[in-house]
Amino acid sequence: MTTATRWALVAGVLVLAVIVAVLPQVRSDSPAAGPDLTAARAAAALAPCPSGTGEVAQLAGVRAECLGDGTTVDLGSALAGQVTLVNVWATWCEPCRTELPVLQRYASEPGAVRVLTVQVQSKPDDGLELLAELGVRLPTVFDGDAGSGPVRSALKVPPALPASYLVAADGQVRLIESPRIFTDPEQVREVVRRLS
């Protein structure tokens, strides 16, 4: 092998190495990296996700994507200082489909506490489609479509969904165990009275 051939081979290997190193970055930065949720977000017309200052210790540093607009929400500060009912759900969960409209009706009543829903274990576009279909406009964060996201880990969400929590104004977070699934807005009001 001549010296010129060796140098050509080395140059070819280097060019190939650069292409292999750069190609994954180009793909992950491109708009095709994830689904375009613009139309689904417009159809769902969700209420804005909460923001705030302060800290709920159990949720400190926990971040999730606001399903309504794609921004990142720091739940530790967003839920501080105000009583909030947090409901964890997935699109494949039949009881969740029944409970979400109940929570919407409750949240629409005078004197209701803030309600935030957390979509898990299902794709964001499927969640937006379901919320639009059900007429649920509650603020919603997305905690990932597989495994255990940061919100589920922080709240220690049980495997059976839905799961609801009451975040008190003082930052205490309580799992709502009775009733396990809300079927009427009055049940939600009673739990809020009892646990606030």
Side-chain angles (χ1 to χ4, degrees):
M1 184 183 297
T2 67
T3 304
T5 306
R6 278 190 221 141
W7 281 113
L9 185 58
V10 168
V13 168
L14 289 174
V15 168
L16 184 59
V18 168
I19 290 170
V20 169
V22 171
L23 191 57
Q25 293 175 357
V26 171
R27 282 189 185 153
S28 67
D29 293 342
S30 70
D36 181 3
L37 300 176
T38 305
R41 285 184 169 130
L46 301 181
C49 289
S51 62
T53 58
E55 185 174 274
V56 173
Q58 188 170 340
L59 295 167
V62 175
R63 298 179 187 282
E65 177 187 349
C66 180
L67 200 54
D69 64 12
T71 60
T72 299
V73 178
D74 180 335
L75 293 177
S77 63
L79 301 182
Q82 187 174 345
V83 178
T84 306
L85 180 98
V86 177
N87 176 261
V88 182
W89 62 277
T91 57
W92 48 261
C93 165
E94 285 303 318
C96 300
R97 290 171 180 256
T98 302
E99 186 175 63
L100 284 165
V102 171
L103 294 174
Q104 177 66 59
R105 287 198 320 268
Y106 163 76
S108 300
E109 295 178 355
V113 301
R114 177 172 59 182
V115 177
L116 174 74
T117 74
V118 181
Q119 181 196 348
V120 301
Q121 299 175 344
S122 45
K123 295 181 179 176
D125 47 341
D126 292 342
L128 287 163
E129 184 179 316
L130 177 65
L131 293 171
E133 175 188 318
L134 296 174
V136 173
R137 306 285 185 239
L138 297 168
T140 301
V141 296
F142 179 67
D143 192 40
D145 57 6
S148 183
V151 179
R152 284 171 280 171
S153 294
L155 293 175
K156 298 175 179 64
V157 174
L161 294 179
S164 293
Y165 298 80
L166 192 72
V167 180
D170 66 2
Q172 294 295 312
V173 180
R174 296 176 183 92
L175 173 64
I176 298 170
E177 297 181 271
S178 178
R180 202 46 199 98
I181 299 167
F182 294 115
T183 57
D184 184 88
E186 181 54 39
Q187 291 175 314
V188 183
R189 278 192 298 280
E190 177 54 36
V191 166
V192 169
R193 277 193 294 268
R194 182 167 34 95
L195 296 180
S196 291

